[in-house]
């Protein structure tokens, strides 16, 4: 947890004594450089803007519990008069009796999302670490390519990408979904930037003197020290791969990913827009679809907030 | 593009004394572990990103309708962009309007809100981060803004303004040229707490706490001094990351205006370059022309990136 810095402000105590006082005496201690008024201003602003930001999340939760007649009230209401579970029940009935069982779609999505997240974090952080901390010919060139790719707008790449995958025989396999996402340039860029300040060179040297090989250094020393960074790219990877539709790479029914399959079943996409008669159900579906990313997000974020205390070594 | 590393040193100085080729090869052999560790990522990246980008670059010199084999056109697509395509010139203007306003503003919003959250007690930080990240977490919920800015008198904003007597007739917020750009900018800002925001949050968490103790001893008196003298210099790599992401976001505006303001928009008032690419690539199937636009856009973004990288480095 964030270690707040305390120092004694009580002027009545002589300075030499103040330094010797035990840390426990918090009543006489203050966080460094923080004013009460500033704290108030910050919290006030956060709450005000926070309400504004959280509105869509709240709204999509509310809508899932609205009966059909309330869903179509215009202008839309931000509360429910008679909440109902009908939407969820109807979702259950509709997915009960499918040609390809729902569990298969769930497996497809969970399997691809988990493998993408894991492989992306490992590959991107390994490459990011090496590009920042090792000196070898071509590292700058590689990194510039990654940055350039990040700025290239995706739309026009779809066809060449399809051709590449078709040539490799990957269309309609999990590979088509997993492999391109594993090498997403965003993660590498973020990891490399974090290596600059979070990993002192002396730490790496010390590990090498102790006989660790490069891979051990990476896994045992670097990764724990950039935990906030890799948890952050894990959030991005999981979120985007969970919402991946498989696009033009997946065609056979049993290989389809959850967002596509649900879109077909409920004649709507996972965002809740689509067929009017099933608006309620698609609201329920979109609520259920955002639960895994939210859970993943909350777990990672609370871990990010906890990593600080062991900050390695100081030069 | 070569100056992104604040601490990059030239590979090995002795390399200059000996014949270059032999040395590079030797260097490469000596570093084979490094290459092995970069390889898994770089191989996949080459296959699925570099090759398609190069292919798209080549396509930008052709006429390609996705059915017939591409037909070589030389510089024709680029000439056509500037000489024959009036709408492209509009698109440049609209994109710049968005980029100049939403780019810097959203960058500052990301940074300052990440900082505010970092000032909170640790227990509620994760929760507040989620609240602020919610618009990005929920995908395309921004469509609820259509209810608020709906053009008839039942739209939330219109109905209140009419009720209070401020307006005497409903305003077409999303299709009227006088209002739609401003409204899309507001929504873009609302959506802006995404990737760079989370990167900044993580950046604040990896900061060395001992710096703040040292700062306090050296006479730093309030949180703003702490921010500018300690936090900003030590977070430069993360700030650079955020800048690149915001550049990509600000110049790549397109999906939101298309969804809310319609496509095509009134008098092309929301026609950004990204929308122009979408228009030619996904509607008219002129892939060669669309690739040319995408390429130009990427070049503009890279130039902006380099400018910002210089600004960030000059600060210290």
């Amino acid at each position: 947890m964030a270690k707040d810095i305390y120092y004694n402000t009580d002027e009545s105590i002589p300075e030499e004594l103040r330094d010797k006082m035990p840390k426990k005496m918090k009543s006489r201690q203050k966080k460094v450089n923080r004013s009460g008024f500033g704290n108030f201003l910050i919290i006030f602003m956060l709450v005000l803007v926070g309400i504004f930001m959280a509105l869509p999340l709240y709204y999509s939760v509310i809508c899932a519990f609205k009966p059909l007649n309330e869903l179509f009230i215009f202008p839309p209401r931000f509360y429910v008069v008679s909440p109902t579970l009908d939407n969820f029940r109807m979702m259950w009935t509709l997915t009960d009796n499918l040609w390809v069982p729902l569990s298969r779609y769930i497996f497809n999505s969970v399997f691809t999302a988990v493998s993408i997240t894991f492989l992306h974090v490992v590959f991107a952080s390994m490459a990011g670490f090496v590009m920042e901390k090792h000196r070898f010919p071509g590292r700058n060139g590689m990194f510039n390519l990654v940055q350039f790719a990040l700025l290239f707008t995706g739309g026009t790449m779809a066809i060449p990408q399809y051709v590449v995958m078709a040539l490799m025989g990957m269309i309609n396999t999990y590979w088509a979904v997993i492999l391109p996402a594993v090498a997403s340039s965003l993660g590498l860029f973020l990891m490399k930037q974090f290596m600059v300040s979070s990993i002192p060179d002396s730490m790496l040297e010390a590990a090498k003197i102790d006989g660790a090989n490069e891979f051990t250094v990476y896994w045992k020393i670097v990764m724990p020290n950039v935990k906030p960074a890799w948890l952050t790219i894990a959030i991005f990877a999981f979120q985007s791969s969970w919402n991946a539709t498989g696009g033009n790479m997946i065609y056979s029914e049993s290989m389809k990913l959850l967002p596509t399959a649900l879109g077909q079943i409920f004649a709507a996409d996972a965002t809740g827009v689509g067929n009017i008669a099933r608006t309620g159900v698609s609201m329920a579906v979109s609520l259920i679809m955002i639960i895994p990313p939210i859970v993943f997000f909350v777990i990672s974020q609370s871990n990010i907030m906890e990593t600080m205390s062991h900050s390695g070594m100081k030069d | 593009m070569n100056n992104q590393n604040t601490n990059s040193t030239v590979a090995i100085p002795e390399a200059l004394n000996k014949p270059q080729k032999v040395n590079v090869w030797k260097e490469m052999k000596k570093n084979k572990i490094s290459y092995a560790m970069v390889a898994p990522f770089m191989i996949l990246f080459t296959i699925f990103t570099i090759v398609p980008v190069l292919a798209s670059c080549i396509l930008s010199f052709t006429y390609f309708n996705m059915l017939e084999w591409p037909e070589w056109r030389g510089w024709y697509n680029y000439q056509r962009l500037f000489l024959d395509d009036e709408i492209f010139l509009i698109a440049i203007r609209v994109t710049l309007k968005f980029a100049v306003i939403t780019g810097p503003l959203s960058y500052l919003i990301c940074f300052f809100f990440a900082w505010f959250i970092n000032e909170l007690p640790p227990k509620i930080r994760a929760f507040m981060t989620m609240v602020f990240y919610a618009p990005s977490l929920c995908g395309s919920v921004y469509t609820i803004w259509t209810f608020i800015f709906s053009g008839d008198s039942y739209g939330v904003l219109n109905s209140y303004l009419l009720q209070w007597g401020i307006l005497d007739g409903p305003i077409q917020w999303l299709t009227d040229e006088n209002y739609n750009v401003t409204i899309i900018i507001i929504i873009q800002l609302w959506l802006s707490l995404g990737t760079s925001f989370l990167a900044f949050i993580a950046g604040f968490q990896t900061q060395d706490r001992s710096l703040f103790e040292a700062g306090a001893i050296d006479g730093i008196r309030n949180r703003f001094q702490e921010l500018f003298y300690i936090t900003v210099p030590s977070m430069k790599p993360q700030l650079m990351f955020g800048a690149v992401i915001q550049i990509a976001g600000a110049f790549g505006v397109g999906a939101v205006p298309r969804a809310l303001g319609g496509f095509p928009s009134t008098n092309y008032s929301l026609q950004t370059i990204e929308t122009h690419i979408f228009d030619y690539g996904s509607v008219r199937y002129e892939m060669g022309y669309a690739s040319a636009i995408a390429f130009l856009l990427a070049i503009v973004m890279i130039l902006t990136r380099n400018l910002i990288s210089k600004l960030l480095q000059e600060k210290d």
Side-chain angles (χ1 to χ4, degrees):
Chain A
M1 265 311 124
K3 241 195 203 155
D4 297 332
I5 314 146
Y6 293 104
Y7 76 133
N8 289 304
T9 44
D10 197 337
E11 298 291 333
S12 61
I13 304 169
E15 209 171 291
E16 316 85 70
L17 269 178
R18 249 189 271 160
D19 289 340
K20 285 175 195 157
M21 275 165 54
K23 286 257 169 173
K24 269 187 274 172
M25 302 174 68
K26 280 189 182 171
S27 56
R28 297 202 168 175
Q29 293 163 341
K30 253 187 172 177
K31 208 173 165 187
V32 170
N33 296 332
R34 291 295 179 272
S35 69
F37 180 66
N39 281 337
F40 169 76
L41 261 186
I42 283 177
I43 288 168
F44 180 73
M45 199 154 143
L46 280 178
V47 169
L48 210 69
V49 182
I51 292 172
F52 187 57
M53 302 301 282
L55 221 57
L57 191 61
Y58 168 79
Y59 187 73
S60 42
V61 173
I62 283 297
C63 278
F65 295 97
K66 279 184 182 172
L68 208 56
N69 58 341
E70 278 189 56
L71 274 167
F72 289 106
I73 293 177
F74 201 88
R77 283 195 189 141
F78 283 90
Y79 53 89
V80 207
V81 181
S82 46
T84 166
L85 285 175
D86 278 358
N87 295 333
F88 293 92
R89 247 173 253 137
M90 191 165 157
M91 179 177 76
W92 197 250
T93 341
L94 280 168
T95 51
D96 205 23
N97 196 4
L98 298 172
W99 178 53
V100 173
L102 185 71
S103 53
R104 174 66 197 234
Y105 299 124
I106 296 176
F107 170 79
N108 289 347
S109 263
V110 170
F111 174 73
T112 50
V114 170
S115 3
I116 288 170
T117 310
F118 177 75
L119 290 176
H120 176 65
V121 168
V122 172
F123 287 2
S125 53
M126 192 158 70
F129 158 60
V130 172
M131 277 188 199
E132 178 56 39
K133 292 296 175 188
H134 291 189
R135 303 274 174 262
F136 59 93
R139 67 186 197 107
N140 276 334
M142 286 182 201
F143 184 57
N144 286 340
L145 276 177
V146 170
Q147 282 198 24
F148 179 83
L150 207 56
L151 296 175
F152 197 84
T153 322
T156 54
M157 274 161 54
I159 288 170
Q161 231 168 13
Y162 179 88
V163 173
V164 167
M165 284 190 202
L167 288 176
M168 296 175 79
M170 294 199 313
I171 297 299
N172 232 349
T173 61
Y174 288 128
W175 298 117
V177 182
I178 295 174
L179 293 182
V182 164
S184 123
S185 42
L186 185 87
L188 186 143
F189 187 23
L190 187 93
M191 289 313 294
K192 185 181 176 292
Q193 298 300 87
F194 268 83
M195 299 294 170
V196 178
S197 53
S198 316
I199 312 285
D201 289 336
S202 53
M203 194 193 280
L204 300 176
E205 279 156 29
K208 266 182 224 160
I209 290 166
D210 289 349
N213 67 31
E214 287 299 341
F215 194 79
T216 323
V217 169
Y218 156 70
W219 194 247
K220 294 259 166 72
I221 313 253
V222 174
M223 283 306 260
N225 272 291
V226 289
K227 200 173 162 199
W230 67 254
L231 280 169
T232 304
I233 68 169
I235 292 173
F236 298 144
F238 186 80
Q239 198 190 332
S240 67
S241 55
W242 178 255
N243 291 324
T245 54
N248 39 19
M249 308 302 171
I250 299 286
Y251 293 95
S252 65
E253 197 52 49
S254 57
M255 292 296 292
K256 278 178 180 162
L257 301 175
L258 207 48
T260 316
L262 291 175
Q264 292 173 331
I265 299 165
F266 302 111
D269 55 24
T271 57
V273 218
N275 189 306
I276 289 180
R278 286 180 182 167
T279 305
V281 196
S282 57
M283 290 292 181
V285 169
S286 57
L287 179 63
I288 294 210
M289 280 300 284
I290 58 173
I291 288 175
I294 287 182
V295 170
F296 192 90
F297 180 87
V298 170
I299 293 172
S300 322
Q301 275 297 324
S302 27
N303 271 300
I304 288 173
M305 303 300 176
E306 270 168 24
T307 41
M308 293 198 27
S309 48
H310 37 78
S311 62
M313 74 197 261
K314 288 162 187 163
D315 327 55
Chain B
M1 294 281 288
N2 295 322
N3 47 8
Q4 80 285 340
N5 294 313
T6 39
N7 62 346
S8 84
T9 48
V10 182
I12 295 285
E14 307 95 76
L16 296 170
N17 305 329
K18 297 168 197 169
Q20 200 71 31
K21 242 185 187 168
V22 184
N23 259 294
V24 169
W25 181 239
K26 253 190 198 165
E27 270 301 303
M28 287 173 77
K29 259 177 143 176
K30 210 175 82 188
N31 288 300
K32 55 178 184 286
I33 299 166
S34 310
Y35 287 106
M37 286 173 84
V38 187
F41 186 93
M42 283 314 282
I43 290 172
L44 291 178
F45 181 71
T46 309
I47 297 172
F48 297 108
T49 308
I50 298 180
V51 171
V53 169
L54 286 179
S56 162
C57 173
I58 294 167
L59 282 180
S60 75
F61 293 99
T62 64
Y63 171 82
F64 180 39
N65 58 12
M66 293 163 60
L67 291 171
E68 296 162 296
W69 189 250
E71 185 186 311
W72 190 259
R73 284 276 179 89
W75 290 99
Y76 173 75
N77 284 333
Y78 291 92
Q79 262 172 33
R80 183 178 155 199
L81 262 179
F82 288 104
L83 301 178
D84 285 336
D85 193 345
E86 282 168 42
I87 296 158
F88 179 64
L89 300 181
I90 298 177
I92 293 179
R93 218 183 52 224
V94 175
T95 305
L96 282 181
K97 223 187 285 178
F98 280 120
V100 168
I101 299 172
T102 59
L105 261 182
S106 64
Y107 186 65
L108 292 176
I109 290 177
C110 284
F111 181 75
F112 279 100
F113 277 97
W115 180 56
F116 290 158
I117 284 175
N118 192 55
E119 294 282 296
L120 293 175
K123 292 250 154 74
I124 56 171
R125 275 185 212 158
F127 174 74
M128 283 311 273
T129 314
M130 192 190 83
V131 166
F132 280 82
Y133 190 64
S136 309
L137 203 57
C138 301
S140 55
V141 248
Y142 60 79
T143 41
I144 72 159
W145 288 95
T146 44
F147 297 130
I148 294 170
F149 291 115
S150 174
D152 50 25
S153 50
Y154 295 106
V156 176
L157 188 61
N158 271 337
S159 65
Y160 278 109
L161 290 179
L162 285 169
Q163 214 175 313
W164 294 334
I166 298 171
L167 296 179
D168 42 15
I171 290 180
Q172 305 292 318
W173 296 108
L174 291 166
T175 42
D176 189 322
E177 280 177 71
N178 297 320
Y179 304 103
N180 58 6
V181 174
T182 321
I183 282 168
I184 300 291
I185 285 174
I186 293 172
I187 295 167
Q188 247 0 122
L189 289 177
W190 176 77
L191 280 169
S192 64
L193 291 164
T195 310
S196 10
F197 171 66
L198 284 197
F200 291 156
I201 293 264
F204 278 113
Q205 296 304 312
T206 46
Q207 280 198 305
D208 190 349
R209 288 279 127 181
S210 61
L211 287 176
F212 295 107
E213 279 167 55
I217 292 164
D218 286 348
I220 280 179
R221 278 291 149 256
N222 58 45
R223 57 180 111 212
F224 289 104
Q225 287 181 345
E226 203 176 274
L227 181 70
F228 288 111
Y229 294 116
I230 303 178
T231 308
V232 169
S234 70
M235 264 185 50
K236 260 186 196 166
Q238 285 85 354
L239 291 178
M240 194 57 223
F241 172 82
V244 173
I245 298 299
Q246 292 312 120
I247 291 171
F251 281 97
V253 175
V256 176
R258 271 205 301 281
L260 298 179
F263 170 72
S265 46
T266 323
N267 279 340
Y268 296 106
S269 55
L270 296 176
Q271 181 92 354
T272 60
I273 297 182
E274 204 272 343
T275 303
H276 210 54
I277 296 172
F278 174 83
D279 189 357
Y280 279 91
S282 314
V283 180
R284 302 180 203 215
Y285 295 134
E286 288 194 38
M287 261 304 158
Y289 193 57
S291 301
I293 310 172
F295 223 71
L296 275 183
L297 185 62
I299 288 169
V300 172
M301 290 202 246
I302 288 163
L303 293 178
T304 321
R305 192 216 81 95
N306 289 351
L307 187 80
I308 288 173
S309 140
K310 270 208 188 102
L311 285 177
L312 272 175
Q313 256 151 41
E314 272 164 15
K315 253 191 192 161
D316 51 0

